[in-house]
Each structure stands twice: as C-alpha cells, then as structure tokens.
Amino acid sequence: MLRVWGRNNSINVQKVLWCCEELSLEYERVDAGGPFGRTDTPEYRRINPTGLVPAIEEDGFTLWESNAIVRYLARRYGSGILWPWDPQEAADADRWMDWQQTTVWAHLRPVFLGLVRTPEAERDEALIEESARQAAEDWRLLDEHLREREYVCGDSFTAADIPLGVSAHRWFNLPIERPEVPGVEEWYGRLLERRAFRRAVSDVPIT
Ligand SMILES: N[C@@H](CCC(=O)N[C@@H](CS)C(=O)NCC(=O)O)C(=O)O
C-alpha cells in the first residue's frame, strides 16, 4: 500500500494528501517532521536523504519532492484526468507547478513563517512586508490567467491546481493586505467545493 510520510499541517505534505484524496487512493500516513521528528532516523534518510517531508513509499519505490510526488501519482492513477496526455498540455501543468515552487512559495514562505511560526517580538517585519508585496504580484499574474479559465490548465481540474491551491489557502488566511483578485477568489471558491481539498487542506488548522 502507498505510504505517505509527513505531518498533515505541512503545505508540501498536503499537496500529496490532496492528490491521494482526488484519486480516491488507499494510503497510510505516518506523522513525521516538526514535533513528530523521525526525519533524522537512518530509516527515513534512506527514503528521503534531505530529511524533509513529504516522502512516499510504494511497493519498494520511494520518492521525495512534493511536486514530483504529485506528478507521479497523477500520471500513475490519473492519466488523462489529473495529468494531461498531450505533451503540450502536460508542459503547461509542469510550468505552473514549477512556478509555484520556485516563485510563489519562495515569496509567500517568509510571510507564512513570519506570521504563523515566529513570535511577534522576533519577526522581521521588513522581510514580511517585502515578501507579501512580491507574493501579491504573483497572485495578480495568476488572476489575469484565471479570469479566462476555471482552473489553472483550462476548464477542468488537474494536478497543476494542487500546489497553487495549497499556497492560495495560506495566502487567503494570513492576516495581510491582499489586492483584489476576483479570478483567483472564484477559483479558490471552486477548490473549497471539492471534498478532497477540504479533507486534506482546508479542514486542517494552519499552524
Ligand atoms: N521542496 C521540498 C520542500 C520540503 C519541505 O520544505 N518540507 C518542510 C515542511 S513543508 C519540512 O520538511 N520541514 C521540516 C519539518 O517539518 O520537520 C518539497 O516540495 O517536498
């Protein structure tokens, strides 16, 4: 059976759990990372040498890096549905997933860590403010894109919605100023209607 390693409040673990829920996969989750530890053990380092979460094991196969895991599951269990057959459509999905990892989360992460995980007296307010400004630009860009389509890759939900969806959930729930982005808001509303999103993401407190 598929085993997912990682605490369920981690943004990167939630990508994998949401994907599993979308695909109605049977899986077991092992709490690891944060207060649960386990990531420094030789057993875990053999699965994920970075010592981060998530990682998966399936029939002797192991994989780490959240977006790679989402792609693997989507290709293996959701080809033609969560993962497009067409190489250009797949490249489009890849591009948005990479953009989330390299740009959106790079900007949003300091805001999230600063406001959620750092005591007020220890916050780097200037970093939080500048990162929130950069993140707002990212969501404006996605807003332009989403005003013309229902989901990131067009009119149906794909794996490309997953990394951006977990990021949007943080962004909408952080105590920061946000520009008006009706395209992103409507898309986020559509995600909230999905049982899989609620189970893996929005029902879990942001901590
Ligand atoms: N690029 C990696 C990043 C993984 C990552 O940074 N994971 C965080 C949680 S979101 C982590 O393991 N933090 C340490 C911990 O939880 O112990 C991925 O996408 O899987």
Side-chain angles (χ1 to χ4, degrees):
M1 189 202 292
L2 174 66
R3 177 177 297 147
V4 180
W5 290 81
R7 55 190 168 84
N8 72 346
N9 63 344
S10 144
I11 182 169
N12 290 308
V13 175
Q14 285 183 2
K15 293 175 191 173
V16 176
L17 300 177
W18 181 10
C19 189
C20 290
E21 296 287 341
E22 289 286 348
L23 294 163
S24 302
L25 298 182
E26 259 188 60
Y27 64 93
E28 66 167 7
R29 188 179 63 78
V30 183
D31 269 325
F36 301 100
R38 291 203 172 110
T39 50
D40 276 339
T41 61
E43 182 199 9
Y44 188 74
R45 291 290 171 134
R46 273 195 292 278
I47 300 166
N48 185 350
T50 70
L52 297 171
V53 291
I56 60 162
E57 291 178 276
E58 189 176 44
D59 306 328
F61 171 71
T62 61
L63 191 64
W64 46 275
E65 273 301 321
S66 57
N67 287 3
I69 298 171
V70 168
R71 275 191 278 265
Y72 163 73
L73 295 174
R75 280 194 189 111
R76 178 156 191 194
Y77 299 105
S79 227
I81 304 164
L82 279 198
W83 196 254
W85 290 112
D86 178 79
Q88 291 181 352
E89 288 177 25
D92 184 38
D94 262 334
R95 178 260 307 281
W96 290 109
M97 292 176 79
D98 286 0
W99 184 65
Q100 181 274 339
Q101 192 72 286
T102 59
T103 306
V104 176
W105 189 239
H107 294 152
L108 202 51
R109 189 170 181 268
V111 186
F112 170 76
L113 292 180
L115 295 178
V116 178
R117 301 252 174 95
T118 311
E120 208 170 335
E122 292 166 31
R123 286 178 191 160
D124 182 341
E125 297 293 348
L127 174 68
I128 293 172
E129 196 178 315
E130 175 57 14
S131 303
R133 192 193 60 72
Q134 292 173 317
E137 290 306 311
D138 299 333
W139 294 111
R140 275 202 188 93
L141 185 155
L142 188 65
D143 188 55
E144 290 291 317
H145 181 73
L146 284 172
R147 282 188 201 200
E148 287 163 25
R149 41 186 75 68
E150 295 208 347
Y151 294 98
V152 170
C153 287
D155 290 333
S156 56
F157 180 88
T158 66
D161 292 285
I162 292 180
L164 285 165
V166 289
S167 307
H169 180 62
R170 265 72 182 170
W171 189 59
F172 279 118
N173 286 284
L174 286 171
I176 52 173
E177 276 184 32
R178 281 174 291 275
E180 283 201 11
V181 284
V184 172
E185 280 164 31
E186 282 173 28
W187 164 75
Y188 178 61
R190 284 191 277 277
L191 300 184
L192 282 167
E193 285 168 14
R194 304 181 80 83
R195 185 168 176 269
F197 180 73
R198 292 196 302 274
R199 278 172 67 100
V201 186
S202 62
D203 285 353
V204 180
I206 297 176
T207 51

mmCIF file of all heavy atoms in Angstrom, residues 7 9-13 15 32-35 37 39 44 48 50-55 64-69 100-101 105 109 117, ligand 1:
data_model
loop_
_atom_site.group_PDB
_atom_site.id
_atom_site.type_symbol
_atom_site.label_atom_id
_atom_site.label_comp_id
_atom_site.label_asym_id
_atom_site.label_seq_id
_atom_site.Cartn_x
_atom_site.Cartn_y
_atom_site.Cartn_z
ATOM 1 N N ARG A 7 3.771 15.184 8.461
ATOM 2 C CA ARG A 7 2.705 15.781 9.293
ATOM 3 C C ARG A 7 1.670 16.459 8.388
ATOM 4 O O ARG A 7 2.027 17.025 7.348
ATOM 5 C CB ARG A 7 3.314 16.785 10.290
ATOM 6 C CG ARG A 7 4.140 17.857 9.632
ATOM 7 C CD ARG A 7 4.940 18.686 10.627
ATOM 8 N NE ARG A 7 5.927 19.496 9.928
ATOM 9 C CZ ARG A 7 5.685 20.680 9.376
ATOM 10 N NH1 ARG A 7 4.481 21.212 9.451
ATOM 11 N NH2 ARG A 7 6.638 21.347 8.758
ATOM 12 N N ASN A 9 -0.103 19.107 8.629
ATOM 13 C CA ASN A 9 -0.239 20.570 8.530
ATOM 14 C C ASN A 9 0.844 21.187 7.640
ATOM 15 O O ASN A 9 0.904 22.398 7.489
ATOM 16 C CB ASN A 9 -0.207 21.233 9.922
ATOM 17 C CG ASN A 9 1.113 21.027 10.632
ATOM 18 O OD1 ASN A 9 1.900 20.162 10.253
ATOM 19 N ND2 ASN A 9 1.367 21.810 11.650
ATOM 20 N N SER A 10 1.698 20.348 7.055
ATOM 21 C CA SER A 10 2.747 20.851 6.149
ATOM 22 C C SER A 10 2.154 21.115 4.767
ATOM 23 O O SER A 10 1.449 20.267 4.205
ATOM 24 C CB SER A 10 3.865 19.806 6.051
ATOM 25 O OG SER A 10 4.393 19.771 4.739
ATOM 26 N N ILE A 11 2.468 22.278 4.204
ATOM 27 C CA ILE A 11 1.939 22.620 2.879
ATOM 28 C C ILE A 11 2.349 21.573 1.849
ATOM 29 O O ILE A 11 1.560 21.192 0.981
ATOM 30 C CB ILE A 11 2.386 24.035 2.443
ATOM 31 C CG1 ILE A 11 1.789 24.398 1.079
ATOM 32 C CG2 ILE A 11 3.905 24.213 2.410
ATOM 33 C CD1 ILE A 11 1.960 25.858 0.688
ATOM 34 N N ASN A 12 3.572 21.097 1.945
ATOM 35 C CA ASN A 12 4.060 20.164 0.925
ATOM 36 C C ASN A 12 3.475 18.765 1.099
ATOM 37 O O ASN A 12 3.204 18.071 0.110
ATOM 38 C CB ASN A 12 5.593 20.160 0.932
ATOM 39 C CG ASN A 12 6.142 21.465 0.395
ATOM 40 O OD1 ASN A 12 5.756 21.904 -0.690
ATOM 41 N ND2 ASN A 12 6.999 22.127 1.151
ATOM 42 N N VAL A 13 3.225 18.377 2.347
ATOM 43 C CA VAL A 13 2.551 17.095 2.591
ATOM 44 C C VAL A 13 1.096 17.187 2.116
ATOM 45 O O VAL A 13 0.560 16.252 1.511
ATOM 46 C CB VAL A 13 2.619 16.721 4.096
ATOM 47 C CG1 VAL A 13 1.809 15.462 4.375
ATOM 48 C CG2 VAL A 13 4.080 16.532 4.534
ATOM 49 N N LYS A 15 -0.111 18.763 -0.349
ATOM 50 C CA LYS A 15 -0.224 18.560 -1.805
ATOM 51 C C LYS A 15 -0.447 17.078 -2.099
ATOM 52 O O LYS A 15 -1.301 16.693 -2.909
ATOM 53 C CB LYS A 15 1.065 18.997 -2.516
ATOM 54 C CG LYS A 15 1.371 20.463 -2.474
ATOM 55 C CD LYS A 15 2.751 20.674 -3.113
ATOM 56 C CE LYS A 15 3.298 22.054 -2.915
ATOM 57 N NZ LYS A 15 4.699 22.175 -3.388
ATOM 58 N N ALA A 32 5.447 12.617 10.565
ATOM 59 C CA ALA A 32 6.903 12.837 10.606
ATOM 60 C C ALA A 32 7.152 14.313 10.335
ATOM 61 O O ALA A 32 6.352 14.993 9.702
ATOM 62 C CB ALA A 32 7.602 11.985 9.540
ATOM 63 N N GLY A 33 8.288 14.791 10.841
ATOM 64 C CA GLY A 33 8.623 16.201 10.665
ATOM 65 C C GLY A 33 8.043 17.033 11.792
ATOM 66 O O GLY A 33 7.153 16.571 12.536
ATOM 67 N N GLY A 34 8.556 18.235 11.968
ATOM 68 C CA GLY A 34 8.076 19.117 13.031
ATOM 69 C C GLY A 34 8.167 18.421 14.377
ATOM 70 O O GLY A 34 9.162 17.743 14.668
ATOM 71 N N PRO A 35 7.096 18.529 15.212
ATOM 72 C CA PRO A 35 7.151 17.954 16.558
ATOM 73 C C PRO A 35 7.241 16.434 16.556
ATOM 74 O O PRO A 35 7.608 15.823 17.563
ATOM 75 C CB PRO A 35 5.831 18.406 17.199
ATOM 76 C CG PRO A 35 4.941 18.738 16.053
ATOM 77 C CD PRO A 35 5.823 19.200 14.940
ATOM 78 N N GLY A 37 9.260 14.585 14.653
ATOM 79 C CA GLY A 37 10.611 14.084 14.403
ATOM 80 C C GLY A 37 10.620 12.977 13.369
ATOM 81 O O GLY A 37 9.928 13.055 12.362
ATOM 82 N N THR A 39 12.512 12.263 11.110
ATOM 83 C CA THR A 39 13.162 12.536 9.822
ATOM 84 C C THR A 39 14.688 12.426 9.902
ATOM 85 O O THR A 39 15.346 12.481 8.868
ATOM 86 C CB THR A 39 12.773 13.933 9.314
ATOM 87 O OG1 THR A 39 12.977 14.867 10.369
ATOM 88 C CG2 THR A 39 11.334 13.991 8.868
ATOM 89 N N TYR A 44 14.461 6.781 7.768
ATOM 90 C CA TYR A 44 13.829 7.837 6.958
ATOM 91 C C TYR A 44 14.815 8.409 5.945
ATOM 92 O O TYR A 44 14.442 8.682 4.794
ATOM 93 C CB TYR A 44 13.252 8.955 7.846
ATOM 94 C CG TYR A 44 12.441 9.948 7.025
ATOM 95 C CD1 TYR A 44 11.177 9.607 6.538
ATOM 96 C CD2 TYR A 44 12.952 11.192 6.675
ATOM 97 C CE1 TYR A 44 10.439 10.482 5.735
ATOM 98 C CE2 TYR A 44 12.225 12.078 5.873
ATOM 99 C CZ TYR A 44 10.964 11.711 5.408
ATOM 100 O OH TYR A 44 10.247 12.580 4.606
ATOM 101 N N ASN A 48 14.252 9.539 2.241
ATOM 102 C CA ASN A 48 14.408 10.933 1.834
ATOM 103 C C ASN A 48 15.685 11.509 2.459
ATOM 104 O O ASN A 48 15.678 11.947 3.613
ATOM 105 C CB ASN A 48 13.186 11.764 2.251
ATOM 106 C CG ASN A 48 13.273 13.190 1.727
ATOM 107 O OD1 ASN A 48 14.311 13.613 1.222
ATOM 108 N ND2 ASN A 48 12.189 13.932 1.870
ATOM 109 N N THR A 50 17.058 14.232 2.201
ATOM 110 C CA THR A 50 17.033 15.650 2.584
ATOM 111 C C THR A 50 16.533 15.827 4.019
ATOM 112 O O THR A 50 16.683 16.893 4.605
ATOM 113 C CB THR A 50 16.103 16.479 1.660
ATOM 114 O OG1 THR A 50 14.735 16.127 1.920
ATOM 115 C CG2 THR A 50 16.421 16.273 0.185
ATOM 116 N N GLY A 51 15.884 14.794 4.562
ATOM 117 C CA GLY A 51 15.358 14.907 5.926
ATOM 118 C C GLY A 51 14.109 15.780 6.014
ATOM 119 O O GLY A 51 13.691 16.159 7.105
ATOM 120 N N LEU A 52 13.521 16.108 4.871
ATOM 121 C CA LEU A 52 12.292 16.920 4.868
ATOM 122 C C LEU A 52 11.091 16.028 4.580
ATOM 123 O O LEU A 52 11.241 14.864 4.180
ATOM 124 C CB LEU A 52 12.410 18.021 3.803
ATOM 125 C CG LEU A 52 13.538 19.043 4.024
ATOM 126 C CD1 LEU A 52 13.700 19.942 2.803
ATOM 127 C CD2 LEU A 52 13.313 19.870 5.280
ATOM 128 N N VAL A 53 9.893 16.581 4.755
ATOM 129 C CA VAL A 53 8.663 15.880 4.371
ATOM 130 C C VAL A 53 8.002 16.679 3.264
ATOM 131 O O VAL A 53 8.188 17.897 3.194
ATOM 132 C CB VAL A 53 7.706 15.722 5.583
ATOM 133 C CG1 VAL A 53 8.277 14.746 6.585
ATOM 134 C CG2 VAL A 53 7.370 17.060 6.270
ATOM 135 N N PRO A 54 7.280 15.989 2.359
ATOM 136 C CA PRO A 54 6.859 14.597 2.370
ATOM 137 C C PRO A 54 7.847 13.677 1.651
ATOM 138 O O PRO A 54 8.775 14.125 0.986
ATOM 139 C CB PRO A 54 5.563 14.650 1.567
ATOM 140 C CG PRO A 54 5.855 15.684 0.504
ATOM 141 C CD PRO A 54 6.687 16.734 1.204
ATOM 142 N N ALA A 55 7.553 12.385 1.828
ATOM 143 C CA ALA A 55 8.154 11.329 1.006
ATOM 144 C C ALA A 55 7.093 10.233 0.891
ATOM 145 O O ALA A 55 6.188 10.153 1.730
ATOM 146 C CB ALA A 55 9.403 10.783 1.660
ATOM 147 N N TRP A 64 10.752 11.535 -3.121
ATOM 148 C CA TRP A 64 10.594 12.766 -2.333
ATOM 149 C C TRP A 64 10.521 13.934 -3.296
ATOM 150 O O TRP A 64 10.778 13.774 -4.480
ATOM 151 C CB TRP A 64 11.742 12.926 -1.313
ATOM 152 C CG TRP A 64 13.128 12.682 -1.821
ATOM 153 C CD1 TRP A 64 13.756 11.466 -1.914
ATOM 154 C CD2 TRP A 64 14.066 13.653 -2.310
ATOM 155 N NE1 TRP A 64 15.022 11.630 -2.429
ATOM 156 C CE2 TRP A 64 15.245 12.967 -2.664
ATOM 157 C CE3 TRP A 64 14.037 15.040 -2.464
ATOM 158 C CZ2 TRP A 64 16.371 13.613 -3.189
ATOM 159 C CZ3 TRP A 64 15.167 15.687 -2.964
ATOM 160 C CH2 TRP A 64 16.313 14.965 -3.314
ATOM 161 N N GLU A 65 10.220 15.104 -2.814
ATOM 162 C CA GLU A 65 9.879 16.353 -3.534
ATOM 163 C C GLU A 65 8.385 16.325 -3.853
ATOM 164 O O GLU A 65 7.921 15.549 -4.700
ATOM 165 C CB GLU A 65 10.682 16.564 -4.819
ATOM 166 C CG GLU A 65 12.007 17.263 -4.605
ATOM 167 C CD GLU A 65 11.900 18.670 -3.974
ATOM 168 O OE1 GLU A 65 10.976 19.436 -4.315
ATOM 169 O OE2 GLU A 65 12.730 18.983 -3.112
ATOM 170 N N SER A 66 7.667 17.209 -3.164
ATOM 171 C CA SER A 66 6.203 17.160 -3.217
ATOM 172 C C SER A 66 5.635 17.230 -4.630
ATOM 173 O O SER A 66 4.728 16.462 -4.973
ATOM 174 C CB SER A 66 5.613 18.283 -2.354
ATOM 175 O OG SER A 66 6.094 19.543 -2.777
ATOM 176 N N ASN A 67 6.128 18.151 -5.448
ATOM 177 C CA ASN A 67 5.528 18.273 -6.782
ATOM 178 C C ASN A 67 5.840 17.052 -7.647
ATOM 179 O O ASN A 67 5.007 16.639 -8.464
ATOM 180 C CB ASN A 67 5.984 19.564 -7.478
ATOM 181 C CG ASN A 67 5.327 20.798 -6.873
ATOM 182 O OD1 ASN A 67 4.568 20.689 -5.905
ATOM 183 N ND2 ASN A 67 5.618 21.962 -7.414
ATOM 184 N N ALA A 68 7.015 16.469 -7.449
ATOM 185 C CA ALA A 68 7.351 15.238 -8.184
ATOM 186 C C ALA A 68 6.414 14.100 -7.752
ATOM 187 O O ALA A 68 5.979 13.285 -8.584
ATOM 188 C CB ALA A 68 8.809 14.851 -7.951
ATOM 189 N N ILE A 69 6.100 14.071 -6.464
ATOM 190 C CA ILE A 69 5.193 13.023 -5.965
ATOM 191 C C ILE A 69 3.790 13.211 -6.557
ATOM 192 O O ILE A 69 3.148 12.260 -7.011
ATOM 193 C CB ILE A 69 5.146 13.028 -4.413
ATOM 194 C CG1 ILE A 69 6.525 12.714 -3.826
ATOM 195 C CG2 ILE A 69 4.093 12.039 -3.915
ATOM 196 C CD1 ILE A 69 6.634 12.911 -2.315
ATOM 197 N N GLN A 100 4.961 27.630 -8.931
ATOM 198 C CA GLN A 100 4.574 27.642 -7.504
ATOM 199 C C GLN A 100 5.788 27.402 -6.615
ATOM 200 O O GLN A 100 5.990 28.102 -5.622
ATOM 201 C CB GLN A 100 3.514 26.548 -7.246
ATOM 202 C CG GLN A 100 3.029 26.480 -5.800
ATOM 203 C CD GLN A 100 3.896 25.622 -4.867
ATOM 204 O OE1 GLN A 100 4.653 24.758 -5.321
ATOM 205 N NE2 GLN A 100 3.785 25.856 -3.580
ATOM 206 N N GLN A 101 6.586 26.414 -7.014
ATOM 207 C CA GLN A 101 7.700 26.003 -6.144
ATOM 208 C C GLN A 101 8.808 27.062 -6.121
ATOM 209 O O GLN A 101 9.351 27.389 -5.068
ATOM 210 C CB GLN A 101 8.232 24.663 -6.684
ATOM 211 C CG GLN A 101 9.187 23.893 -5.824
ATOM 212 C CD GLN A 101 8.527 23.256 -4.626
ATOM 213 O OE1 GLN A 101 8.194 23.937 -3.677
ATOM 214 N NE2 GLN A 101 8.355 21.945 -4.652
ATOM 215 N N TRP A 105 5.805 30.195 -3.740
ATOM 216 C CA TRP A 105 6.072 29.794 -2.360
ATOM 217 C C TRP A 105 7.352 30.463 -1.844
ATOM 218 O O TRP A 105 7.455 30.771 -0.647
ATOM 219 C CB TRP A 105 6.104 28.278 -2.213
ATOM 220 C CG TRP A 105 6.169 27.861 -0.771
ATOM 221 C CD1 TRP A 105 7.128 27.104 -0.168
ATOM 222 C CD2 TRP A 105 5.212 28.193 0.263
ATOM 223 N NE1 TRP A 105 6.857 26.952 1.183
ATOM 224 C CE2 TRP A 105 5.680 27.611 1.469
ATOM 225 C CE3 TRP A 105 4.026 28.939 0.300
ATOM 226 C CZ2 TRP A 105 5.000 27.750 2.685
ATOM 227 C CZ3 TRP A 105 3.351 29.079 1.509
ATOM 228 C CH2 TRP A 105 3.836 28.485 2.682
ATOM 229 N N ARG A 109 6.497 32.054 1.584
ATOM 230 C CA ARG A 109 7.036 31.304 2.726
ATOM 231 C C ARG A 109 7.504 32.216 3.867
ATOM 232 O O ARG A 109 7.161 31.977 5.027
ATOM 233 C CB ARG A 109 8.176 30.396 2.233
ATOM 234 C CG ARG A 109 8.679 29.421 3.260
ATOM 235 C CD ARG A 109 9.622 28.400 2.601
ATOM 236 N NE ARG A 109 10.108 27.440 3.562
ATOM 237 C CZ ARG A 109 11.234 27.588 4.242
ATOM 238 N NH1 ARG A 109 12.003 28.647 4.031
ATOM 239 N NH2 ARG A 109 11.604 26.678 5.133
ATOM 240 N N ARG A 117 4.622 31.157 12.443
ATOM 241 C CA ARG A 117 5.535 30.327 13.247
ATOM 242 C C ARG A 117 6.528 31.141 14.084
ATOM 243 O O ARG A 117 7.320 30.554 14.813
ATOM 244 C CB ARG A 117 6.330 29.399 12.317
ATOM 245 C CG ARG A 117 5.480 28.457 11.476
ATOM 246 C CD ARG A 117 5.576 27.021 11.937
ATOM 247 N NE ARG A 117 4.649 26.188 11.196
ATOM 248 C CZ ARG A 117 4.959 25.481 10.116
ATOM 249 N NH1 ARG A 117 6.197 25.505 9.649
ATOM 250 N NH2 ARG A 117 4.053 24.751 9.522
HETATM 251 N N1 LIG B 1 10.996 21.116 -1.926
HETATM 252 C C1 LIG B 1 10.536 20.231 -0.895
HETATM 253 C C2 LIG B 1 10.412 21.049 0.397
HETATM 254 C C3 LIG B 1 10.026 20.166 1.559
HETATM 255 C C4 LIG B 1 9.920 20.996 2.849
HETATM 256 O O1 LIG B 1 10.464 22.100 2.973
HETATM 257 N N2 LIG B 1 9.211 20.412 3.822
HETATM 258 C C5 LIG B 1 9.053 21.061 5.098
HETATM 259 C C6 LIG B 1 7.585 21.032 5.513
HETATM 260 S S1 LIG B 1 6.559 21.965 4.422
HETATM 261 C C7 LIG B 1 9.841 20.294 6.151
HETATM 262 O O2 LIG B 1 10.136 19.123 5.988
HETATM 263 N N3 LIG B 1 10.176 20.968 7.240
HETATM 264 C C8 LIG B 1 10.868 20.349 8.341
HETATM 265 C C9 LIG B 1 9.958 19.532 9.205
HETATM 266 O O3 LIG B 1 8.733 19.538 9.032
HETATM 267 O O4 LIG B 1 10.486 18.862 10.114
HETATM 268 C C10 LIG B 1 9.187 19.612 -1.304
HETATM 269 O O5 LIG B 1 8.445 20.285 -2.023
HETATM 270 O O6 LIG B 1 8.898 18.465 -0.924
#
